[in-house]
């Protein structure tokens, strides 16, 4: 794993922990699913490499449960703290 990959993975881990803490703080129970993947594609045309493209995908899915069986779910691709806090507040609002 490269240093950059480790940094992205660490950011996703911290975002997951923050999402769990925010759901608790807002009085909800819930689930947080996190994902991180890296992919590469290459195209060869007439025996020559035409394009090489890489992509990194990261994101969270938050589900909040309140008042028995009421629930809400949101997904986000940002893992910055302010985005995670906003998503947690929104998912709890949806569940209520």
């Amino acid at each position: 794993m490269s240093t950059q990959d480790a940094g992205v993975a660490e950011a996703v881990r911290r975002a997951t922990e923050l999402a769990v803490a925010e759901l608790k703080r807002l009085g909800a129970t819930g689930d947080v699913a996190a994902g991180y993947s890296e992919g590469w594609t290459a195209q060869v045309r007439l025996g020559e490499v035409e394009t090489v493209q890489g992509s990194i995908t990261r994101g969270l899915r938050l589900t909040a449960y309140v008042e028995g069986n009421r629930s809400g779910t949101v997904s986000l691709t940002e893992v910055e703290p302010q985005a995670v806090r906003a998503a947690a507040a929104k998912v709890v609002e949806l569940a209520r």
Side-chain angles (χ1 to χ4, degrees):
M1 180 181 287
S2 73
T3 303
Q4 180 181 357
D5 293 340
V8 173
E10 177 63 17
V12 171
R13 185 193 64 75
R14 284 193 313 267
T16 302
E17 290 176 350
L18 177 59
V20 169
E22 284 294 299
L23 289 176
K24 280 175 86 173
R25 186 183 69 77
L26 294 166
T29 58
D31 301 316
V32 178
Y36 165 77
S37 66
E38 182 176 358
W40 292 92
T41 60
Q43 294 178 334
V44 176
R45 183 179 199 150
L46 301 173
E48 297 290 325
V49 175
E50 190 170 71
T51 59
V52 177
Q53 294 179 327
S55 65
I56 295 175
T57 304
R58 64 182 183 201
L60 298 175
R61 186 183 72 239
L62 285 64
T63 301
Y65 303 98
V66 296
E67 301 169 13
N69 64 351
R70 298 177 61 104
S71 67
T73 301
V74 298
S75 296
L76 66 154
T77 57
E78 297 295 324
V79 295
E80 288 72 24
Q82 67 274 15
V84 174
R85 286 185 186 98
K90 178 55 84 176
V91 76
V92 171
E93 177 186 331
L94 290 170
R96 289 195 167 125

Coordinates of all heavy atoms in Angstrom, one line a residue:
M1 N 0.9 -1.2 0.0 CA 0.0 0.0 0.0 C 0.9 1.2 0.0 O 1.8 1.3 0.8 CB -0.9 0.0 1.2 CG -1.8 1.2 1.3 SD -2.9 1.2 2.8 CE -4.1 -0.1 2.4
S2 N 0.6 2.2 -0.9 CA 1.4 3.4 -1.0 C 1.1 4.3 0.2 O 0.1 4.2 0.8 CB 1.2 4.1 -2.3 OG -0.1 4.7 -2.3
T3 N 1.9 5.3 0.4 CA 1.7 6.3 1.4 C 0.3 7.0 1.1 O -0.4 7.3 2.0 CB 2.8 7.3 1.5 OG1 4.0 6.6 1.7 CG2 2.6 8.3 2.6
Q4 N 0.1 7.3 -0.1 CA -1.2 8.0 -0.5 C -2.4 7.1 -0.2 O -3.4 7.6 0.4 CB -1.2 8.4 -2.0 CG -2.5 9.1 -2.4 CD -2.5 9.4 -3.9 OE1 -1.5 9.2 -4.6 NE2 -3.6 10.0 -4.3
D5 N -2.3 5.8 -0.5 CA -3.4 4.9 -0.3 C -3.6 4.8 1.2 O -4.7 4.8 1.7 CB -3.0 3.5 -0.8 CG -3.0 3.4 -2.3 OD1 -3.5 4.3 -2.9 OD2 -2.4 2.5 -2.8
A6 N -2.5 4.7 2.0 CA -2.7 4.7 3.5 C -3.3 5.9 4.0 O -4.2 5.8 4.9 CB -1.3 4.5 4.1
G7 N -3.0 7.1 3.4 CA -3.7 8.3 3.9 C -5.2 8.3 3.6 O -6.0 8.7 4.4
V8 N -5.6 7.8 2.4 CA -7.0 7.8 2.0 C -7.7 6.7 2.9 O -8.8 7.0 3.5 CB -7.2 7.4 0.6 CG1 -8.6 7.2 0.2 CG2 -6.6 8.5 -0.3
A9 N -7.1 5.6 3.1 CA -7.7 4.6 4.0 C -7.8 5.1 5.4 O -8.9 4.9 6.1 CB -6.8 3.3 4.0
E10 N -6.9 5.8 5.9 CA -6.9 6.4 7.3 C -8.1 7.5 7.3 O -8.8 7.5 8.3 CB -5.6 7.0 7.7 CG -5.6 7.7 9.0 CD -5.9 6.8 10.2 OE1 -5.8 5.6 10.1 OE2 -6.2 7.3 11.3
A11 N -8.2 8.3 6.3 CA -9.3 9.3 6.3 C -10.7 8.6 6.3 O -11.6 9.1 7.0 CB -9.2 10.2 5.0
V12 N -10.8 7.5 5.6 CA -12.1 6.7 5.6 C -12.3 6.1 7.0 O -13.4 6.2 7.5 CB -12.1 5.7 4.5 CG1 -13.3 4.7 4.6 CG2 -12.1 6.3 3.1
R13 N -11.3 5.6 7.6 CA -11.4 5.1 9.0 C -11.9 6.1 9.9 O -12.8 5.9 10.7 CB -10.1 4.4 9.4 CG -10.2 3.7 10.8 CD -8.9 3.4 11.4 NE -8.1 4.5 11.7 CZ -8.3 5.3 12.7 NH1 -9.3 5.1 13.6 NH2 -7.5 6.4 13.0
R14 N -11.2 7.3 9.9 CA -11.6 8.4 10.8 C -13.0 8.9 10.5 O -13.8 9.2 11.5 CB -10.6 9.6 10.6 CG -9.3 9.3 11.3 CD -8.4 10.6 11.4 NE -8.4 11.4 10.2 CZ -7.4 11.3 9.3 NH1 -6.4 10.4 9.4 NH2 -7.5 12.0 8.2
A15 N -13.4 8.9 9.3 CA -14.8 9.4 8.9 C -15.8 8.4 9.5 O -16.9 8.8 9.9 CB -14.9 9.5 7.4
T16 N -15.5 7.1 9.4 CA -16.4 6.1 9.9 C -16.6 6.2 11.4 O -17.7 6.2 11.9 CB -15.8 4.7 9.6 OG1 -15.7 4.5 8.2 CG2 -16.7 3.6 10.1
E17 N -15.5 6.4 12.1 CA -15.5 6.6 13.6 C -16.3 7.9 13.9 O -17.2 7.9 14.9 CB -14.1 6.7 14.2 CG -13.4 5.4 14.2 CD -12.0 5.5 14.7 OE1 -11.5 6.6 14.9 OE2 -11.4 4.4 14.9
L18 N -16.1 8.9 13.2 CA -16.9 10.2 13.4 C -18.3 10.0 13.2 O -19.2 10.5 13.9 CB -16.3 11.3 12.5 CG -17.0 12.7 12.6 CD1 -17.0 13.2 14.0 CD2 -16.4 13.6 11.6
A19 N -18.7 9.3 12.1 CA -20.1 9.0 11.8 C -20.8 8.3 12.9 O -21.9 8.6 13.3 CB -20.2 8.3 10.5
V20 N -20.2 7.3 13.4 CA -20.7 6.5 14.6 C -20.9 7.4 15.8 O -22.0 7.4 16.4 CB -19.8 5.3 14.9 CG1 -20.3 4.7 16.2 CG2 -19.8 4.3 13.8
A21 N -19.9 8.2 16.1 CA -20.0 9.1 17.2 C -21.1 10.2 17.0 O -21.9 10.5 18.0 CB -18.7 9.8 17.4
E22 N -21.3 10.7 15.8 CA -22.3 11.6 15.5 C -23.7 11.0 15.7 O -24.6 11.7 16.2 CB -22.1 12.3 14.2 CG -21.0 13.3 14.1 CD -21.3 14.5 15.0 OE1 -22.3 15.2 14.7 OE2 -20.6 14.8 15.9
L23 N -23.9 9.8 15.2 CA -25.2 9.2 15.3 C -25.6 9.0 16.8 O -26.7 9.3 17.2 CB -25.2 7.8 14.6 CG -25.2 7.8 13.1 CD1 -25.1 6.4 12.5 CD2 -26.4 8.5 12.5
K24 N -24.6 8.6 17.6 CA -24.8 8.5 19.0 C -25.2 9.8 19.6 O -26.1 9.9 20.4 CB -23.6 7.9 19.7 CG -23.5 6.4 19.6 CD -22.1 5.9 20.2 CE -22.3 5.7 21.7 NZ -21.0 5.1 22.2
R25 N -24.4 10.8 19.3 CA -24.6 12.2 19.9 C -26.0 12.7 19.5 O -26.6 13.4 20.3 CB -23.5 13.1 19.3 CG -23.6 14.5 20.0 CD -22.5 15.4 19.3 NE -22.8 15.8 18.0 CZ -23.7 16.7 17.6 NH1 -24.5 17.3 18.5 NH2 -23.9 17.0 16.3
L26 N -26.5 12.4 18.4 CA -27.8 12.8 17.9 C -28.9 11.9 18.4 O -30.1 12.2 18.0 CB -27.8 12.9 16.4 CG -26.9 14.0 15.8 CD1 -26.7 13.8 14.3 CD2 -27.4 15.4 16.1
G27 N -28.6 10.9 19.2 CA -29.7 10.1 19.8 C -30.2 9.0 18.9 O -31.3 8.5 19.1
A28 N -29.4 8.6 18.0 CA -29.9 7.5 17.0 C -28.9 6.3 17.2 O -27.8 6.4 17.6 CB -29.9 8.0 15.6
T29 N -29.5 5.2 16.8 CA -28.6 4.0 16.6 C -28.5 3.9 15.1 O -29.2 4.6 14.3 CB -29.2 2.7 17.2 OG1 -30.5 2.5 16.6 CG2 -29.4 2.8 18.7
G30 N -27.6 3.0 14.7 CA -27.4 3.0 13.2 C -26.3 2.1 12.7 O -25.6 1.4 13.5
D31 N -26.1 2.2 11.4 CA -25.0 1.4 10.8 C -24.2 2.4 9.9 O -24.8 3.3 9.3 CB -25.6 0.4 9.8 CG -26.5 -0.6 10.5 OD1 -26.1 -1.1 11.6 OD2 -27.6 -1.0 10.0
V32 N -22.9 2.1 9.8 CA -22.1 2.9 9.0 C -21.3 1.9 8.1 O -20.6 1.1 8.7 CB -21.1 3.8 9.7 CG1 -20.2 4.6 8.8 CG2 -21.9 4.8 10.6
A33 N -21.4 2.0 6.8 CA -20.6 1.2 5.9 C -19.6 2.1 5.2 O -20.0 3.2 4.7 CB -21.5 0.5 4.9
A34 N -18.4 1.7 5.1 CA -17.4 2.5 4.5 C -16.7 1.7 3.4 O -16.6 0.5 3.5 CB -16.3 2.9 5.5
G35 N -16.3 2.4 2.3 CA -15.6 1.7 1.2 C -14.5 2.5 0.6 O -14.6 3.8 0.7
Y36 N -13.5 1.8 0.2 CA -12.4 2.5 -0.5 C -11.9 1.5 -1.6 O -11.7 0.3 -1.3 CB -11.3 2.8 0.5 CG -9.9 3.1 -0.2 CD1 -9.7 4.3 -0.8 CD2 -8.9 2.1 -0.3 CE1 -8.5 4.6 -1.4 CE2 -7.7 2.4 -0.9 CZ -7.5 3.6 -1.5 OH -6.4 3.9 -2.1
S37 N -11.8 1.9 -2.8 CA -11.2 1.0 -3.8 C -10.4 1.9 -4.8 O -10.6 3.1 -5.0 CB -12.3 0.3 -4.5 OG -13.2 1.2 -5.3
E38 N -9.5 1.2 -5.5 CA -8.7 1.8 -6.5 C -8.7 0.9 -7.7 O -8.7 -0.3 -7.6 CB -7.2 1.9 -6.0 CG -6.3 2.6 -7.0 CD -4.9 2.8 -6.4 OE1 -4.7 2.4 -5.2 OE2 -4.1 3.2 -7.1
G39 N -8.8 1.5 -8.9 CA -8.9 0.7 -10.1 C -8.2 1.3 -11.2 O -7.9 2.6 -11.2
W40 N -7.7 0.5 -12.2 CA -7.0 1.0 -13.3 C -7.6 0.3 -14.6 O -8.0 -0.8 -14.5 CB -5.5 0.6 -13.2 CG -4.8 1.3 -12.1 CD1 -4.7 0.9 -10.8 CD2 -4.2 2.6 -12.2 NE1 -4.0 1.9 -10.1 CE2 -3.7 2.9 -11.0 CE3 -4.1 3.5 -13.3 CZ2 -3.0 4.1 -10.7 CZ3 -3.4 4.7 -13.0 CH2 -2.9 5.0 -11.7
T41 N -7.6 1.1 -15.7 CA -8.0 0.6 -17.0 C -6.9 1.0 -18.0 O -6.4 2.1 -17.9 CB -9.4 1.0 -17.4 OG1 -9.4 2.5 -17.5 CG2 -10.5 0.6 -16.5
A42 N -6.7 0.2 -19.0 CA -5.8 0.5 -20.0 C -6.4 0.1 -21.3 O -7.1 -0.9 -21.4 CB -4.5 -0.2 -19.8
Q43 N -6.3 0.9 -22.4 CA -6.8 0.6 -23.7 C -5.6 0.6 -24.7 O -4.7 1.4 -24.7 CB -7.8 1.6 -24.2 CG -9.0 1.6 -23.3 CD -10.0 2.7 -23.8 OE1 -9.6 3.7 -24.3 NE2 -11.3 2.5 -23.5
V44 N -5.6 -0.5 -25.5 CA -4.6 -0.7 -26.5 C -5.3 -0.7 -27.8 O -6.3 -1.3 -28.0 CB -3.8 -2.0 -26.3 CG1 -2.8 -2.3 -27.4 CG2 -3.2 -2.1 -24.9
R45 N -4.7 0.1 -28.8 CA -5.3 0.2 -30.1 C -4.1 0.0 -31.1 O -3.1 0.7 -31.0 CB -6.0 1.5 -30.3 CG -6.6 1.7 -31.6 CD -7.3 3.0 -31.6 NE -8.3 3.0 -32.7 CZ -9.4 3.6 -32.7 NH1 -9.7 4.4 -31.8 NH2 -10.2 3.5 -33.7
L46 N -4.3 -0.9 -32.0 CA -3.3 -1.2 -33.1 C -2.0 -1.4 -32.5 O -0.9 -0.9 -33.0 CB -3.3 0.0 -34.1 CG -4.6 0.3 -34.8 CD1 -4.5 1.6 -35.6 CD2 -5.1 -0.9 -35.6
G47 N -1.9 -2.2 -31.4 CA -0.7 -2.5 -30.7 C 0.0 -1.5 -29.9 O 1.1 -1.7 -29.4
E48 N -0.7 -0.3 -29.7 CA -0.1 0.8 -29.0 C -1.0 1.1 -27.8 O -2.3 1.0 -27.9 CB 0.0 2.0 -29.8 CG 1.0 1.9 -31.0 CD 2.4 1.8 -30.6 OE1 2.8 2.5 -29.6 OE2 3.2 1.1 -31.2
V49 N -0.4 1.4 -26.7 CA -1.2 1.9 -25.5 C -1.8 3.2 -25.9 O -1.1 4.2 -26.2 CB -0.4 2.0 -24.2 CG1 -1.2 2.5 -23.1 CG2 0.2 0.6 -23.9
E50 N -3.2 3.3 -25.8 CA -3.8 4.5 -26.1 C -4.1 5.3 -24.9 O -3.9 6.5 -24.9 CB -5.2 4.2 -26.9 CG -5.8 5.4 -27.5 CD -7.0 5.0 -28.3 OE1 -8.0 4.5 -27.8 OE2 -6.8 5.2 -29.6
T51 N -4.7 4.7 -23.9 CA -5.0 5.4 -22.6 C -4.7 4.5 -21.4 O -4.9 3.3 -21.5 CB -6.4 5.9 -22.5 OG1 -7.3 4.8 -22.6 CG2 -6.7 6.9 -23.6
V52 N -4.3 5.1 -20.3 CA -4.3 4.5 -19.0 C -4.9 5.4 -18.1 O -4.6 6.6 -18.0 CB -2.8 4.2 -18.6 CG1 -2.8 3.6 -17.2 CG2 -2.1 3.3 -19.6
Q53 N -5.9 4.9 -17.3 CA -6.7 5.7 -16.4 C -6.8 5.0 -15.1 O -7.0 3.8 -15.0 CB -8.1 6.0 -16.9 CG -8.2 6.8 -18.2 CD -9.6 7.0 -18.6 OE1 -10.4 6.2 -18.5 NE2 -9.8 8.2 -19.2
G54 N -6.7 5.8 -14.0 CA -6.8 5.3 -12.7 C -8.0 6.0 -12.0 O -8.3 7.1 -12.3
S55 N -8.5 5.3 -11.0 CA -9.6 6.0 -10.2 C -9.6 5.5 -8.8 O -9.1 4.3 -8.5 CB -11.0 5.6 -10.8 OG -11.3 4.2 -10.7
I56 N -9.9 6.4 -7.9 CA -10.0 6.0 -6.5 C -11.4 6.4 -6.1 O -11.9 7.5 -6.3 CB -9.0 6.8 -5.6 CG1 -7.6 6.4 -6.0 CG2 -9.3 6.6 -4.2 CD1 -6.5 7.2 -5.3
T57 N -12.1 5.4 -5.4 CA -13.5 5.6 -5.0 C -13.5 5.5 -3.4 O -12.9 4.5 -2.9 CB -14.4 4.6 -5.6 OG1 -14.3 4.7 -7.0 CG2 -15.9 4.9 -5.1
R58 N -14.1 6.4 -2.8 CA -14.2 6.3 -1.3 C -15.6 6.8 -1.0 O -16.2 7.6 -1.7 CB -13.2 7.1 -0.6 CG -13.3 8.5 -0.9 CD -12.2 9.3 -0.3 NE -12.5 10.7 -0.6 CZ -11.6 11.7 -0.5 NH1 -10.3 11.4 -0.2 NH2 -11.9 12.9 -0.8
G59 N -16.2 6.3 0.1 CA -17.5 6.8 0.5 C -18.0 6.1 1.8 O -17.4 5.1 2.3
L60 N -19.1 6.7 2.2 CA -19.8 6.2 3.4 C -21.3 6.0 3.1 O -21.8 6.8 2.3 CB -19.6 7.1 4.6 CG -18.2 7.4 5.1 CD1 -18.3 8.5 6.2 CD2 -17.6 6.1 5.7
R61 N -21.9 5.1 3.8 CA -23.3 5.0 3.8 C -23.8 4.9 5.3 O -23.3 4.1 6.0 CB -23.8 3.7 3.1 CG -25.4 3.7 2.9 CD -25.9 2.4 2.3 NE -25.7 1.3 3.2 CZ -25.0 0.2 2.9 NH1 -24.4 0.1 1.8 NH2 -24.9 -0.8 3.8
L62 N -24.6 5.9 5.7 CA -25.1 5.9 7.0 C -26.6 5.6 7.1 O -27.3 6.1 6.3 CB -24.9 7.3 7.6 CG -23.5 7.8 8.0 CD1 -22.6 7.9 6.8 CD2 -23.7 9.2 8.7
T63 N -26.9 4.7 8.0 CA -28.3 4.4 8.2 C -28.6 4.7 9.7 O -27.8 4.2 10.6 CB -28.7 2.9 7.9 OG1 -28.3 2.7 6.6 CG2 -30.1 2.6 8.2
A64 N -29.6 5.5 10.0 CA -30.0 5.8 11.3 C -31.4 5.2 11.7 O -32.2 5.2 10.8 CB -30.1 7.3 11.5
Y65 N -31.5 4.8 12.9 CA -32.7 4.2 13.4 C -33.1 5.0 14.6 O -32.3 5.2 15.5 CB -32.6 2.7 13.8 CG -32.1 1.9 12.7 CD1 -30.8 1.5 12.6 CD2 -33.0 1.4 11.7 CE1 -30.3 0.7 11.5 CE2 -32.5 0.6 10.7 CZ -31.2 0.3 10.6 OH -30.7 -0.5 9.6
V66 N -34.4 5.5 14.6 CA -34.9 6.2 15.8 C -36.3 5.8 16.0 O -37.0 5.2 15.2 CB -34.9 7.8 15.5 CG1 -33.5 8.3 15.4 CG2 -35.7 8.1 14.4
E67 N -36.8 5.9 17.3 CA -38.2 5.7 17.7 C -38.7 4.3 17.1 O -39.7 4.3 16.4 CB -39.1 6.8 17.2 CG -38.7 8.2 17.8 CD -39.4 9.3 17.1 OE1 -40.3 9.1 16.4 OE2 -38.9 10.5 17.3
G68 N -38.0 3.3 17.5 CA -38.5 2.0 17.0 C -37.9 1.6 15.7 O -36.8 1.4 15.5
N69 N -38.8 1.6 14.7 CA -38.4 1.1 13.4 C -38.3 2.2 12.3 O -38.2 1.9 11.1 CB -39.4 0.0 12.9 CG -40.8 0.6 12.7 OD1 -41.1 1.7 13.1 ND2 -41.7 -0.2 12.1
R70 N -38.3 3.4 12.7 CA -38.1 4.5 11.7 C -36.6 4.6 11.4 O -35.7 4.5 12.2 CB -38.6 5.8 12.3 CG -40.1 5.8 12.7 CD -40.5 7.1 13.3 NE -40.3 8.2 12.4 CZ -41.2 8.8 11.7 NH1 -42.5 8.4 11.8 NH2 -41.0 9.8 10.9
S71 N -36.4 4.8 10.0 CA -35.0 4.8 9.6 C -34.8 5.7 8.4 O -35.8 6.1 7.7 CB -34.5 3.4 9.2 OG -35.2 2.9 8.1
G72 N -33.6 6.1 8.2 CA -33.2 6.9 7.1 C -31.8 6.5 6.6 O -31.0 6.0 7.4
T73 N -31.5 6.7 5.4 CA -30.2 6.3 4.8 C -29.6 7.4 3.9 O -30.4 7.9 3.1 CB -30.2 5.0 4.1 OG1 -30.7 3.9 4.9 CG2 -28.9 4.6 3.5
V74 N -28.4 7.7 4.1 CA -27.7 8.6 3.1 C -26.4 8.1 2.8 O -25.8 7.3 3.5 CB -27.5 10.0 3.8 CG1 -28.8 10.7 4.1 CG2 -26.6 10.0 5.0
S75 N -25.9 8.5 1.6 CA -24.6 8.1 1.1 C -23.8 9.3 0.8 O -24.4 10.3 0.3 CB -24.7 7.2 -0.1 OG -25.3 6.0 0.1
L76 N -22.5 9.3 1.0 CA -21.7 10.4 0.6 C -20.3 9.9 0.2 O -19.8 8.8 0.6 CB -21.5 11.4 1.8 CG -20.8 10.9 3.0 CD1 -20.3 12.2 3.7 CD2 -21.8 10.3 4.0
T77 N -19.7 10.7 -0.7 CA -18.3 10.4 -1.2 C -17.3 11.2 -0.5 O -16.1 11.0 -0.7 CB -18.2 10.5 -2.7 OG1 -18.6 11.8 -3.1 CG2 -19.1 9.5 -3.4
E78 N -17.7 12.2 0.2 CA -16.7 13.1 0.9 C -16.5 12.5 2.3 O -17.4 12.0 3.0 CB -17.3 14.5 1.1 CG -17.6 15.2 -0.2 CD -16.3 15.5 -0.9 OE1 -15.2 15.8 -0.3 OE2 -16.3 15.4 -2.2
V79 N -15.3 12.5 2.8 CA -14.9 12.0 4.1 C -14.4 13.0 5.0 O -13.9 12.7 6.1 CB -14.0 10.8 4.0 CG1 -14.6 9.6 3.3 CG2 -12.7 11.1 3.3
E80 N -14.5 14.3 4.6 CA -14.1 15.4 5.5 C -15.0 15.5 6.7 O -16.2 15.2 6.5 CB -14.0 16.7 4.7 CG -12.9 16.8 3.8 CD -13.0 15.9 2.5 OE1 -14.2 15.6 2.2 OE2 -12.0 15.6 1.9
P81 N -14.6 15.9 7.9 CA -15.4 15.9 9.1 C -16.7 16.7 8.9 O -17.8 16.3 9.3 CB -14.5 16.6 10.1 CG -13.1 16.2 9.7 CD -13.1 16.2 8.2
Q82 N -16.6 17.9 8.3 CA -17.9 18.7 8.1 C -18.9 18.0 7.3 O -20.1 18.1 7.5 CB -17.6 20.1 7.6 CG -17.0 20.2 6.2 CD -15.6 20.0 6.0 OE1 -14.9 19.6 7.0 NE2 -15.0 20.3 4.9
A83 N -18.5 17.3 6.3 CA -19.4 16.5 5.4 C -20.0 15.4 6.2 O -21.2 15.1 6.0 CB -18.7 16.0 4.1
V84 N -19.2 14.7 7.0 CA -19.7 13.5 7.7 C -20.7 14.0 8.8 O -21.8 13.4 9.0 CB -18.6 12.8 8.4 CG1 -19.1 11.7 9.3 CG2 -17.6 12.2 7.3
R85 N -20.4 15.1 9.5 CA -21.3 15.7 10.5 C -22.7 16.1 9.8 O -23.7 15.8 10.4 CB -20.7 16.9 11.2 CG -19.7 16.5 12.2 CD -19.2 17.7 13.0 NE -18.0 17.3 13.8 CZ -16.8 17.5 13.5 NH1 -16.4 18.1 12.3 NH2 -15.8 17.1 14.3
A86 N -22.6 16.7 8.7 CA -23.8 17.1 7.9 C -24.6 15.9 7.5 O -25.9 15.9 7.6 CB -23.4 18.0 6.7
A87 N -24.0 14.9 7.0 CA -24.7 13.7 6.6 C -25.3 13.0 7.8 O -26.5 12.5 7.7 CB -23.7 12.7 5.9
A88 N -24.6 13.0 8.9 CA -25.2 12.3 10.1 C -26.5 13.1 10.6 O -27.5 12.5 10.9 CB -24.2 12.3 11.2
A89 N -26.4 14.4 10.6 CA -27.6 15.2 11.0 C -28.7 15.0 10.0 O -29.9 14.9 10.4 CB -27.2 16.7 11.0
K90 N -28.4 14.9 8.7 CA -29.5 14.7 7.7 C -30.1 13.4 7.8 O -31.3 13.2 7.7 CB -28.9 14.9 6.3 CG -29.9 14.7 5.2 CD -31.1 15.5 5.3 CE -30.9 16.9 4.7 NZ -32.2 17.7 4.7
V91 N -29.3 12.3 8.0 CA -29.9 11.0 8.1 C -30.8 10.8 9.4 O -31.8 10.2 9.3 CB -28.8 9.9 8.1 CG1 -28.0 9.7 9.3 CG2 -29.4 8.5 7.7
V92 N -30.4 11.5 10.5 CA -31.2 11.4 11.7 C -32.5 12.2 11.4 O -33.6 11.8 11.8 CB -30.5 11.9 12.9 CG1 -31.4 12.1 14.1 CG2 -29.3 11.0 13.2
E93 N -32.4 13.4 10.7 CA -33.6 14.1 10.4 C -34.5 13.3 9.5 O -35.8 13.3 9.7 CB -33.1 15.4 9.7 CG -34.3 16.3 9.2 CD -33.8 17.4 8.3 OE1 -32.7 17.9 8.5 OE2 -34.6 17.8 7.4
L94 N -34.0 12.6 8.5 CA -34.8 11.8 7.7 C -35.5 10.7 8.5 O -36.7 10.3 8.2 CB -34.0 11.2 6.6 CG -33.5 12.1 5.5 CD1 -32.4 11.4 4.6 CD2 -34.6 12.6 4.6
A95 N -34.8 10.1 9.4 CA -35.4 9.0 10.2 C -36.5 9.5 11.1 O -37.5 8.7 11.4 CB -34.3 8.3 11.0
R96 N -36.5 10.7 11.5 CA -37.5 11.2 12.4 C -38.7 11.6 11.7 O -39.8 11.6 12.0 CB -36.9 12.4 13.2 CG -35.9 12.0 14.2 CD -35.6 13.0 15.3 NE -34.9 12.4 16.3 CZ -33.7 12.8 16.8 NH1 -33.1 13.8 16.3 NH2 -33.1 12.1 17.7

